[in-house]
Amino acid sequence: MAYTVNTNIASLQAQEYLRITQEFQQKTISRVTSGLRIVSSGDAAAGLAIANTFRSDRAVLSQGVRNANDGLSTLQTIDGGLNNISQLLDRARTLATQSASGTFTGDREVLNSEFQSVIQEIDRQATAIGLDTGGLFATNLSVFIGGGRGSTSTAQITNGSVSVDLSASTVDTRSMGIKGLQITGTYARSVDQILADTTNTASESVPGYTDFYFRGPGFSGSDRARVSVNLNGVTDAEKLVTAINSAIDQAGSGGVSSSTLFRNAGIRATIVTDPDNNRRLVFQSSNAAFQATAGDRLSNALLGNVTTSGGSTGVALDYIVSAAATAASAGTTFPAARDIIVRVQGGSLSSPTDLTLAVTTTSTVDTALTSLSSLVASNASLVAAGISITTASPGSSLTFTSKRGENFEVLAVNDAGNRLGLGTAQNTSSTSSSTFDVTSITSTAIATGSGAQTLAFSIGGGSYVTLSHTFTTASTAGDIVNTLNTNFSSNSSLQQAGLVASTGAGSTVVISSNNGTYFRVSSNTSGAGFGFGTLAGVATTTSVATTSGTSSATLNSGGASASSLLAFTPIRTGNDDQLITITAKDSAGVERSLAITIQADSTAQRGRSLDEAVTYINSQIRASTSEDIQKIVALKERDPDAAGAEKIRFVSPLSEFKVSVASNPGATGITTGQGTVATSSLLSGGSSVDIVTRANAESAVIRLANAVAHLGDVQAVVGRGQNQFNFAISLAQTQIINLNASESRIRDADLASEAANLTRAQILQQAGVAALSQANSAPQAVLSLLQQ
């Protein structure tokens, strides 16, 4: 064994063991003083990560329990309000039952006064607990608690949440059917005067009958419900109500889908007392938004639309369309054999009505006007729309009238000599035609050397756009095509219509639309230059319309949700398709959407007029798979702030819905708010039950019974929600306890074991210090060798 002085191996080993002992002692002391086995990540990195996860989950669950308790408290508050409403309904039913008794001899007005205060308190309580229509808690309440499991984070959030759907649990009087939707008409005291007014009775389509038209979900446009009221023996408001309801029952028994849906809307006429203590004629429904329209001046007066305040004469409804020019004089013949097509569109017609007059060069204007009058009078669609010819005489302007006061227009094609005064537009260069306008037309051979010629184009029935070309003896079809295409590309309307000219066989010109736009042409100068006739046509407006008091013929049900009035411009070109999206929440609070495209091209024609667009929109709504979307209806009405212009309004009994209107290149279709979303708002008014008469009290008893049943359903939902929260809290507390236990097993120190370790460390340290002292003194043994 060698003796060295420079390197003391024993000392170094003793130092290292002493260092290890000191570290062990320090770690043991840390564990004993902290109570944790894992003090830092170096102690057990994997264990610390797992323990931290448990601690984080426990923190989430602890807050989740507080969330659940908050939710439970909210539901308990709601439950208390529902109990109050239940007691209020009991009192209301007691009062209604008392008033419904035939032996009651007291003052029903006194009973009704308390009854109405009870109804008002129900609404106040519903608002206070957030379960009124559109209220704070009238939605799907989702409370996140935590502790969820799932293969994805979304699934974990869903599984860790408790949802209580209160979106269909509103308990205001409207939601419970105590209040409904209502149109308020004239004062009951005015009914006898209105019935006796000779101006009103003279406007009746059938003497002794007055007509109302009702529109709503499934019965709108040409399928609107006509309620023809027999006035025989009707002398006062009560008898009128009976007659109206009898007519409503008859209209609802038509055996077709629209009449069935009208019957299901439950519209009834009644007399109610308004807040000013005036008795009024009203139309009510508990479940459907609807519109009432007058069919004559008498019904218009009954709706409250009179010429003077306090008067009895209803506002006139006639909407008149007169030709821009007078018809030719008597005996005048037509310059060419043609199939003249007269088109009538609008006026609640679901699609245009075309009337064809086959004329020859020997046909006189007298015969044509007589034939046209006969065609109009025998056309079922026009008769149903109340449209007739009121003037059809040679030398006078052809005049059409709508007795319903609805906008419509009259257009014509192939009257080359403008004998009817409706314009000279053409859709063919041949004799016969079965279509009103075309997407392609071929001229006859062009005429060279005919000088300056003007050709006019009406795009989709719109105003004329004119262009010209000077024909020389050297002119060719190619020259005409170049002129036309140059004008087509420089005019925005013609460019948008996609018009393109090309040469055809035998010096003809073919004009077509590359996007399916329909158009008509009119040669406006004499001569056969363009090949579209030799007579000078006209490029003026094809019809002139005048109205008379038509701004007051329609009323919407108060209490309904409605969009604002949306202006509409006919879609005339093939690239102006417009997307309309209707969105509403279903009973589960899930948004449902319906996308509708209106257009007017060779693919489909759904927006050439406001009426055609409304008809198509409503047909798509009825075809929706969502029952809530089906409760929405598109209606038309006049805007008194826009000179009585007809516009579109969407209405529904739903608390809220949205209508998104997309933009299109020509800014046509629905033009109000293109590119935006319109949210509905509540229309003022609405009906409320009363018990001032025995009949009303009996009706109130039935409504209140239904309200009690509805309230019971809501209480069941709220009670189920409270139980859900209680169970969720219990589970979360169990999870918290077990997470604590799991974290403790991983991270907490075993103090008994650590105390033993501490004793061992102390002994080892003492021994190590002693050994180190011995090791350090070992080199001194060399000195004894040096002393010899």
Side-chain angles (χ1 to χ4, degrees):
M1 179 178 178
Y3 285 94
T4 62
V5 175
N6 291 332
T7 303
N8 189 340
I9 300 300
S11 176
L12 293 175
Q13 289 177 332
Q15 290 177 44
E16 176 61 19
Y17 285 125
L18 185 59
R19 183 190 64 80
I20 293 172
T21 299
Q22 286 176 330
E23 287 184 357
F24 177 67
Q25 184 182 40
Q26 289 172 358
K27 185 176 292 186
T28 302
I29 290 173
S30 296
R31 288 173 175 173
V32 170
T33 56
S34 68
L36 298 175
R37 184 179 68 86
I38 304 174
V39 178
S40 63
S41 57
D43 296 336
L48 182 63
I50 296 172
N52 285 341
T53 300
F54 288 154
R55 188 183 70 251
S56 179
D57 289 345
R58 188 179 74 247
V60 170
L61 283 166
S62 296
Q63 180 58 50
V65 169
R66 290 192 287 272
N67 292 347
N69 280 317
D70 290 343
L72 182 59
S73 296
T74 298
L75 290 184
Q76 288 171 342
T77 301
I78 291 174
D79 196 24
L82 294 178
N83 287 331
N84 290 341
I85 292 174
S86 178
Q87 295 177 36
L88 289 167
L89 287 175
D90 291 345
R91 181 56 183 164
R93 292 188 76 186
T94 299
L95 294 169
T97 303
Q98 185 178 4
S99 181
S101 174
T103 59
F104 178 74
T105 58
D107 189 349
R108 285 188 170 89
E109 291 289 350
V110 175
L111 292 180
N112 187 60
S113 178
E114 182 184 353
F115 182 85
Q116 295 302 327
S117 67
V118 169
I119 298 301
Q120 292 173 8
E121 181 60 17
I122 290 174
D123 280 334
R124 194 193 70 78
Q125 293 267 339
T127 302
I129 61 176
L131 286 185
D132 56 323
T133 301
L136 177 63
F137 298 122
T139 184
N140 186 16
L141 300 179
S142 180
V143 177
F144 180 65
I145 298 174
R149 295 291 181 267
S151 58
T152 64
S153 57
T154 301
Q156 291 170 10
I157 293 294
T158 302
N159 184 250
S161 300
V162 172
S163 295
V164 180
D165 189 4
L166 299 178
S167 57
S169 297
T170 49
V171 290
D172 56 333
T173 52
R174 179 187 175 194
S175 301
M176 294 192 293
I178 299 173
K179 285 185 178 179
L181 302 105
Q182 175 176 293
I183 288 176
T184 302
T186 189
Y187 295 100
R189 62 176 180 270
S190 303
V191 168
D192 57 341
Q193 299 172 15
I194 292 172
L195 295 173
D197 191 301
T198 56
T199 302
N200 291 339
T201 55
S203 70
E204 296 169 350
S205 297
V206 178
Y209 288 81
T210 187
D211 292 335
F212 294 92
Y213 290 88
F214 291 91
R215 296 174 174 85
F219 53 98
S220 61
S222 59
D223 290 328
R224 64 199 183 282
R226 178 189 179 189
V227 174
S228 189
V229 183
N230 185 351
L231 300 176
N232 183 34
V234 176
T235 56
D236 55 33
E238 284 70 21
K239 292 179 180 179
L240 175 65
V241 165
T242 300
I244 292 175
N245 287 331
S246 175
I248 288 175
D249 292 337
Q250 186 174 0
S253 60
V256 296
S257 174
S258 58
S259 61
T260 300
L261 291 169
F262 172 63
R263 182 179 68 248
N264 293 343
I267 299 171
R268 307 303 291 175
T270 188
I271 302 294
V272 302
T273 302
D274 65 16
D276 296 324
N277 208 33
N278 294 310
R279 299 176 70 238
R280 306 288 294 268
L281 169 67
V282 300
F283 296 92
Q284 297 178 341
S285 172
S286 61
N287 58 7
F290 64 99
Q291 180 188 76
T293 303
D296 49 55
R297 297 184 73 164
L298 196 154
S299 57
N300 208 16
L302 292 174
L303 289 177
N305 301 319
V306 291
T307 55
T308 58
S309 178
S312 61
T313 303
V315 173
L317 299 177
D318 292 353
Y319 184 91
I320 301 170
V321 173
S322 299
T326 59
S329 58
T332 304
T333 57
F334 288 82
R338 288 286 189 273
D339 282 344
I340 299 175
I341 301 175
V342 177
R343 167 167 288 184
V344 182
Q345 62 184 13
S348 285
L349 294 169
S350 58
S351 60
T353 296
D354 291 339
L355 308 171
T356 302
L357 296 171
V359 300
T360 66
T361 54
T362 61
S363 301
T364 65
V365 69
D366 313 58
T367 303
L369 290 173
T370 300
S371 298
L372 181 61
S373 297
S374 177
L375 289 173
V376 170
S378 60
N379 187 278
S381 297
L382 295 179
V383 171
I387 297 174
S388 62
I389 290 183
T390 48
T391 302
S393 304
S396 300
S397 293
L398 188 60
T399 303
F400 294 75
T401 301
S402 167
K403 289 293 184 180
R404 311 282 183 267
E406 299 179 58
N407 286 18
F408 69 101
E409 61 180 340
V410 180
L411 307 170
V413 69
N414 294 336
D415 183 7
N418 199 25
R419 295 296 189 257
L420 302 180
L422 294 173
T424 57
Q426 297 184 58
N427 61 14
T428 179
S429 58
S430 63
T431 301
S432 61
S433 175
S434 59
T435 59
F436 179 78
D437 41 17
V438 293
T439 57
S440 179
I441 187 172
T442 302
S443 71
T444 59
I446 66 168
T448 60
S450 53
Q453 298 277 304
T454 301
L455 191 64
F457 292 84
S458 172
I459 305 301
S463 301
Y464 282 101
V465 178
T466 60
L467 51 87
S468 60
H469 179 81
T470 300
F471 290 81
T472 66
T473 55
S475 295
T476 64
D479 297 331
I480 310 305
V481 167
N482 290 335
T483 297
L484 291 173
N485 285 331
T486 298
N487 282 271
F488 291 161
S489 62
S490 61
N491 183 277
S492 59
S493 297
L494 301 180
Q495 185 181 44
Q496 192 171 333
L499 295 188
V500 178
S502 60
T503 55
S507 296
T508 61
V509 175
V510 179
I511 303 173
S512 59
S513 169
N514 59 19
N515 60 23
T517 296
Y518 284 87
F519 63 93
R520 296 170 298 155
V521 298
S522 176
S523 181
N524 289 348
T525 47
S526 59
F530 284 106
F532 292 105
T534 59
L535 297 178
V538 295
T540 56
T541 303
T542 55
S543 60
V544 177
T546 59
T547 65
S548 175
T550 52
S551 61
S552 302
T554 299
L555 295 176
N556 294 322
S557 53
S561 293
S563 70
S564 60
L565 284 170
L566 305 175
F568 183 88
T569 299
I571 296 177
R572 303 193 187 280
T573 62
N575 66 342
D576 263 357
D577 295 7
Q578 183 177 54
L579 178 66
I580 300 169
T581 304
I582 301 173
T583 305
K585 289 183 179 180
D586 62 16
S587 57
V590 179
E591 279 199 344
R592 304 295 182 186
S593 295
L594 175 66
I596 302 171
T597 300
I598 55 174
Q599 62 195 98
D601 53 40
S602 56
T603 303
Q605 294 179 313
R606 302 163 177 165
R608 292 170 292 181
S609 68
L610 181 148
D611 293 273
E612 187 174 62
V614 166
T615 296
Y616 180 71
I617 290 171
N618 285 329
S619 70
Q620 295 301 105
I621 289 175
R622 292 308 307 168
S624 169
T625 57
S626 168
E627 293 183 1
D628 295 276
I629 292 289
Q630 290 181 2
K631 294 178 182 178
I632 301 171
V633 62
L635 303 172
K636 68 173 184 177
E637 65 177 276
R638 294 190 179 278
D639 184 355
D641 296 327
E646 283 188 341
K647 297 183 179 181
I648 298 175
R649 190 193 295 274
F650 292 84
V651 300
S652 174
L654 300 175
S655 60
E656 183 183 76
F657 63 90
K658 297 177 182 178
V659 179
S660 172
V661 180
S663 302
N664 60 5
T668 58
I670 295 179
T671 58
T672 302
Q674 284 199 358
T676 63
V677 178
T679 301
S680 64
S681 58
L682 195 65
L683 294 176
S684 61
S687 67
S688 179
V689 294
D690 64 64
I691 55 174
V692 293
T693 66
R694 179 183 174 187
N696 288 358
E698 290 174 345
S699 175
V701 169
I702 296 173
R703 288 199 188 187
L704 289 168
N706 294 333
V708 169
H710 175 79
L711 183 66
D713 293 338
V714 174
Q715 288 176 308
V717 173
V718 173
R720 185 168 62 248
Q722 292 181 64
N723 291 334
Q724 282 182 270
F725 281 129
N726 281 322
F727 287 124
I729 291 170
S730 177
L731 175 61
Q733 293 286 17
T734 300
Q735 289 175 303
I736 290 172
I737 292 171
N738 286 283
L739 285 171
N740 271 323
S742 298
E743 183 187 4
S744 175
R745 282 190 291 270
I746 294 173
R747 196 170 186 182
D748 287 354
D750 182 350
L751 293 181
S753 174
E754 297 303 330
N757 288 337
L758 183 59
T759 300
R760 183 164 66 92
Q762 289 172 342
I763 296 171
L764 288 173
Q765 186 183 40
Q766 293 173 4
V769 170
L772 179 60
S773 177
Q774 292 293 326
N776 287 337
S777 63
Q780 293 180 0
V782 178
L783 294 177
S784 62
L785 295 176
L786 295 175
Q787 290 175 354
Q788 296 177 354

